[in-house]
Amino acid sequence: ERRLASVDWSVQDVLVGTFGSIEQFNVNYDEGFYYVPAKVFDTSKLPIRYVALYQSTKMFKEDAGIRYYGEVTTTSVVKRKDIPVKMTRNNPDEDYYLFRVREWKALPAPIAVKEEGVKVYNMTNLFLLTHCTYSYELFHIHSEEQYRLLHELKRMFDHTEMNADGNSDPVYQIDDTHSI
């Protein structure tokens, strides 16, 4: 895959952020922005080129996962009181990074929450965001070799059946009429 070979694995383009409430998600989505407290943000990650929205299972239930992402048009430091989302703490003068997004786009398929969630934010790259199935893949793959290995393991697992005794055996198809 030419596209996979061209991925710069050292550049992480996507900030995956979470929410304290459904109201916060709605305002961020409707008004095209995302924000993070400056005190917890690693400035070595700047510039942020994309933001993805992580919807937790606890809060969003069947709508959980990562469904939307957008290209960042501007990044600025603002006071919390200037962000149009209801404050849950008394911190109006605290600095926040505000990322304005051109538009939110739906991922081709939502990334399911599995084993690895997001506490405040996490980083990944655009290739993984658009090619992974589960949230844990986004944050633990750091090379082409790791991506290929995981892809091969998933392919092998998809061709494994469980026996009645609970053990698994690979099933290899020779053609449509025979199997070994």
Side-chain angles (χ1 to χ4, degrees):
E1 287 182 23
R2 184 176 297 167
R3 182 176 168 140
L4 181 57
S6 68
V7 172
D8 183 349
W9 295 94
S10 67
V11 175
Q12 290 189 322
D13 302 314
V14 183
L15 181 148
V16 181
T18 190
F19 301 94
S21 68
I22 293 174
E23 175 194 7
Q24 180 189 1
F25 171 84
N26 290 334
V27 172
N28 282 217
Y29 185 86
D30 292 344
E31 297 193 24
F33 69 90
Y34 185 75
Y35 61 97
V36 164
K39 67 182 179 188
V40 300
F41 185 71
D42 179 357
T43 57
S44 72
K45 303 296 184 187
L46 291 173
I48 299 297
R49 295 188 185 353
Y50 293 89
V51 171
L53 306 178
Y54 172 84
Q55 297 169 246
S56 70
T57 303
K58 180 179 178 182
M59 194 175 306
F60 292 90
K61 307 208 182 338
E62 66 275 352
D63 289 330
I66 301 169
R67 299 170 175 277
Y68 306 102
Y69 75 104
E71 181 182 5
V72 174
T73 58
T74 60
T75 300
S76 55
V77 177
V78 300
K79 298 294 183 195
R80 178 60 182 90
K81 64 185 174 192
D82 297 324
I83 299 172
V85 174
K86 184 176 126 188
M87 283 190 276
T88 56
R89 296 180 294 143
N90 187 16
N91 61 340
D93 293 319
E94 187 177 335
D95 286 337
Y96 277 70
Y97 279 94
L98 184 93
F99 305 98
R100 287 267 169 214
V101 173
R102 185 176 318 281
E103 69 176 318
W104 295 115
K105 296 180 180 179
L107 286 167
I111 297 172
V113 176
K114 189 161 186 172
E115 296 178 22
E116 177 87 14
V118 177
K119 299 291 184 236
V120 176
Y121 75 92
N122 213 332
M123 302 295 295
T124 190
N125 67 48
L126 190 59
F127 177 83
L128 293 175
L129 184 71
T130 56
H131 287 84
C132 288
T133 307
Y134 300 107
S135 57
Y136 70 86
E137 298 170 328
L138 294 176
F139 312 123
H140 297 287
I141 295 176
H142 304 290
S143 69
E144 177 180 348
E145 293 78 19
Q146 289 176 342
Y147 178 80
R148 289 185 185 279
L149 176 61
L150 181 62
H151 186 73
E152 184 63 21
L153 289 170
K154 287 182 358 182
R155 188 187 69 74
M156 289 172 57
F157 184 76
D158 288 345
H159 291 91
T160 301
E161 292 182 356
M162 296 301 279
N163 294 329
D165 62 3
N167 294 321
S168 61
D169 288 323
V171 176
Y172 300 99
Q173 293 291 335
I174 295 176
D175 60 31
D176 291 332
T177 59
H178 300 86
S179 66
I180 13 183

